[in-house]
C-alpha cells in the first residue's frame, strides 16, 4: 500500500514539474510573439505557428490543472 502512495506522489511530482515547464514555455513564446510583432511588419505570418503552439500548451496545462486539482 505504501508503494502505491509513493507512486502516486512521484506521478504527481512529475505532472507538477511538467506543468511548471509548460508555464515557462508559454511565457517564453508569448514574449517571442511580442518581440516579433514589434520588429516585423509581416508579423502575423511569422507568429501564427507560435500562437498555435501556445494554444496547445494552454490545453495541456488545463488537463494538468484538473489532474492536480489546481482549479
Amino acid at each position: 500500500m505504501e508503494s502505491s502512495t509513493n507512486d502516486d506522489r512521484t506521478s504527481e511530482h512529475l505532472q507538477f514539474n511538467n506543468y511548471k515547464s509548460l508555464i515557462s514555455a508559454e511565457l517564453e513564446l508569448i514574449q517571442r510573439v511580442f518581440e516579433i510583432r514589434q520588429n516585423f511588419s509581416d508579423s502575423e505570418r511569422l507568429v501564427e505557428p507560435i500562437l498555435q503552439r501556445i494554444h496547445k500548451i494552454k490545453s495541456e496545462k488545463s488537463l494538468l490543472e484538473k489532474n492536480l486539482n489546481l482549479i
Side-chain angles (χ1 to χ4, degrees):
M1 176 137 179
E2 193 171 313
S3 176
S4 176
T5 303
N6 286 339
D7 290 345
D8 290 345
R9 286 185 186 149
T10 300
S11 174
E12 190 173 279
H13 183 71
L14 291 173
Q15 287 183 24
F16 189 69
N17 283 341
N18 188 25
Y19 180 73
K20 292 189 300 185
S21 294
L22 288 172
I23 290 172
S24 294
E26 181 183 16
L27 292 173
E28 185 176 325
L29 291 174
I30 289 169
Q31 180 62 33
R32 287 186 185 179
V33 167
F34 177 75
E35 291 169 0
I36 290 169
R37 284 183 170 156
Q38 282 188 320
N39 295 314
F40 295 94
S41 59
D42 187 20
S43 64
E44 290 312 305
R45 178 183 58 84
L46 298 170
V47 300
E48 184 57 34
I50 300 170
L51 293 174
Q52 289 174 5
R53 180 62 186 134
I54 291 170
H55 181 72
K56 280 184 175 180
I57 288 172
K58 287 182 179 191
S59 295
E60 292 175 45
K61 274 182 26 191
S62 178
L63 289 173
L64 287 171
E65 287 169 348
K66 288 177 186 174
N67 288 343
L68 295 168
N69 297 316
L70 298 175
I71 54 171

